[in-house]
Amino acid sequence: AHKHCYGKVRINTEVLRVDKLDNGEYDVRTKNVKTGVEHTVHAKAVSFHVNRRIGKKREVDWPESDKFRGQIFYGYGNEVTGAKFWNKRVLVVGAGAFAFENVRTAIEHGAKHVTLLGRRDGTTCPKWIDMIAFLRPLDENLLTSKSGNMISFECWQNCYKDAGLRTPDCWKDGLLKPPNHTISVSDVAFVAGFHGLFKLEVGEIDHFSADGSGVNLTSGDHIDADIVIKCCGFHLNDDVPKVTG
């Protein structure tokens, strides 16, 4: 393989444009992001391996955020690197995979308590539940047994119950996860919930409180916080249409 790949792997390279030629082949214009030097590669085929769902972060804000006495971060791009979580009350806004990742980060760095607030429930599971799904045998149709699925799901429900966490509303509708969501994997969320360090809430922020102590929800409830981490999703990645025209 090294004979075929040697010298053909490029890093620090941005694809600027892909043009299809009359003969069905392609010219790919690239730029070295360090030197700025542009180069054209001729290819018989082009395959894009990019994430369409994760583009630029969805920027959100709420009234009176300037009065907040704590810190506000986005939960992407290493913004929380260096944040002082020790003994702090942390509010993570969002219910997707990035939100649960930031819950883990806050707990592992000594947060006093973490609340995850989403407009709807997300779904997360312990690692062992996730692993069992990959290790269980498959039948001739590449499916696992229904009886085993029921046992795993019952154990999963008990994990929520034992941790004192609310179960996802979508389960009542027979869905494992909300539409357009992924299932997050987080042992820490369940361990922290069991020890009273983590809580799941459903609601929306209306504004930051006037005294700077946290946020007020549209329901009228208040959540105290020292750190707010915004994990409010992404815009669709539109880089490919820009490159191909």
Side-chain angles (χ1 to χ4, degrees), residues 24-201:
E25 297 181 354
Y26 300 87
D27 277 342
V28 181
R29 186 156 52 92
T30 67
K31 181 178 74 173
N32 186 298
V33 297
K34 289 188 174 181
T35 65
V37 175
E38 295 188 10
H39 182 69
T40 298
V41 177
H42 185 75
K44 293 183 178 180
V46 176
S47 178
F48 287 90
H49 298 267
V50 297
N51 193 320
R52 180 175 177 270
R53 291 195 309 115
I54 302 181
K56 295 180 180 179
K57 67 175 180 280
R58 181 171 165 264
E59 298 193 16
V60 296
D61 197 9
W62 297 277
E64 302 185 74
S65 60
D66 58 317
K67 296 180 179 178
F68 183 52
R69 296 198 303 261
Q71 294 176 293
I72 302 174
F73 301 98
Y74 278 97
Y76 324 111
N78 297 321
E79 274 199 29
V80 300
T81 300
K84 306 300 183 183
F85 288 107
W86 187 262
N87 205 34
K88 299 291 180 62
R89 298 163 300 178
V90 179
L91 173 63
V92 177
V93 185
F98 278 85
F100 280 100
E101 289 290 326
N102 280 275
V103 168
R104 180 204 64 194
T105 298
I107 292 293
E108 289 181 344
H109 286 79
K112 181 179 182 179
H113 186 271
V114 179
T115 300
L116 186 147
L117 176 70
R119 291 181 296 178
R120 59 180 178 178
D121 290 306
T123 304
T124 190
C125 72
K127 184 62 179 177
W128 66 273
I129 292 287
D130 186 53
M131 281 298 299
I132 286 174
F134 290 100
L135 298 176
R136 290 172 56 204
L138 304 176
D139 62 19
E140 63 275 10
N141 296 314
L142 302 180
L143 299 173
T144 52
S145 69
K146 291 184 178 180
S147 60
N149 293 343
M150 293 175 64
I151 293 172
S152 292
F153 186 65
E154 184 178 357
C155 291
W156 190 2
Q157 288 177 306
N158 287 335
C159 288
Y160 269 93
K161 180 180 178 181
D162 292 342
L165 302 176
R166 55 177 289 143
T167 54
D169 278 339
C170 61
W171 285 4
K172 300 174 185 176
D173 301 322
L175 300 174
L176 284 181
K177 61 183 182 64
N180 300 318
H181 267 228
T182 57
I183 297 177
S184 306
V185 178
S186 177
D187 288 335
V188 171
F190 292 94
V191 174
F194 180 82
H195 290 286
L197 300 174
F198 174 55
K199 185 178 183 181
L200 292 169
E201 292 280 5

